[in-house]
Amino acid sequence: GGPKDITPPKMLSSEPENLSTNFKGNRLVLNFDEYINLKTPEKYLLISPPLGKEPDIRVKGRSIIIKIKDTLRVNTTYNFYLGEAIVDITESNPVPNFNFAFSTGPEIDSLSLSGNVTDAFTRKPMEDALVMLYSDFSDSVPMKQIPTYVSRTSKNGDFNLRNLASGKYRAV
């Protein structure tokens, strides 16, 4: 009984803390205020810069445990974007645009790039399009390398790339 639950879960703590620096581990633990579930994480999960091996992601009660199976780059800020994949177990209320970041170096990169993607023929917003940034400018780089940074567009075609390192990039 009682009123319908419309409140999404809130992250209470994490190991390491969000936006922490000098991370040397291979495990992230995100603790929430209520029991949670992951709804289609394969659709929402974006790690930027991308990892060579997919991490192992598990839910244990009120926590998400992420085991990183890849070697992390030195002095790099990583973003784990889970979009709206984190939901409570009672009403499936999603945590909106969930993002978790940490750095393997002494500082968090703070630059960002945002924009909007529309279909060139219909001029309508493109939902779920990947926006990728490459530090290599050669023509064939999208076919030969994984991007330096990656984001996905919303229903309105909007994208936001956060925690970028200073430099020049090619957007695809």
Side-chain angles (χ1 to χ4, degrees):
K4 182 178 177 179
D5 176 16
I6 58 170
T7 307
K10 292 180 186 147
M11 188 170 77
L12 298 176
S13 64
S14 63
E15 298 171 31
E17 289 183 31
N18 191 22
L19 303 175
S20 67
T21 57
N22 297 311
F23 179 71
K24 304 290 185 222
N26 65 351
R27 183 175 173 225
L28 310 174
V29 180
L30 313 174
N31 302 305
F32 292 84
D33 65 344
E34 60 184 306
Y35 289 98
I36 56 165
N37 202 354
L38 282 176
K39 185 177 177 183
T40 59
E42 64 281 353
K43 175 183 175 185
Y44 291 106
L45 177 65
L46 284 176
I47 302 168
S48 189
L51 298 172
K53 298 176 186 173
E54 286 291 317
D56 181 31
I57 302 175
R58 297 178 191 264
V59 173
K60 186 174 181 183
R62 297 177 183 206
S63 300
I64 296 173
I65 300 167
I66 301 172
K67 291 184 182 175
I68 300 168
K69 298 178 182 180
D70 207 356
T71 302
L72 299 175
R73 299 179 198 172
V74 178
N75 296 327
T76 303
T77 299
Y78 284 90
N79 269 302
F80 283 70
Y81 178 76
L82 283 161
E84 298 185 0
I86 303 169
V87 298
D88 62 27
I89 63 167
T90 55
E91 297 290 338
S92 293
N93 296 311
V95 176
N97 297 313
F98 183 83
N99 191 71
F100 184 85
F102 63 86
S103 176
T104 58
E107 57 189 37
I108 293 282
D109 295 323
S110 60
L111 298 178
S112 65
L113 174 68
S114 59
N116 185 274
V117 178
T118 56
D119 185 296
F121 297 108
T122 65
R123 298 184 187 244
K124 293 183 180 178
M126 291 190 66
E127 181 180 359
D128 287 331
L130 290 178
V131 178
M132 300 168 285
L133 297 183
Y134 292 90
S135 52
D136 184 338
F137 289 86
S138 62
D139 289 343
S140 60
V141 74
M143 304 303 270
K144 294 182 177 180
Q145 294 179 18
I146 60 173
T148 307
Y149 296 101
V150 64
S151 181
R152 180 173 280 135
T153 59
S154 67
K155 290 180 183 178
N156 300 331
D158 297 328
F159 70 90
N160 189 3
L161 290 150
R162 300 179 189 144
N163 303 106
L164 305 177
S166 179
K168 293 184 179 183
Y169 301 99
R170 177 182 186 185
V172 176

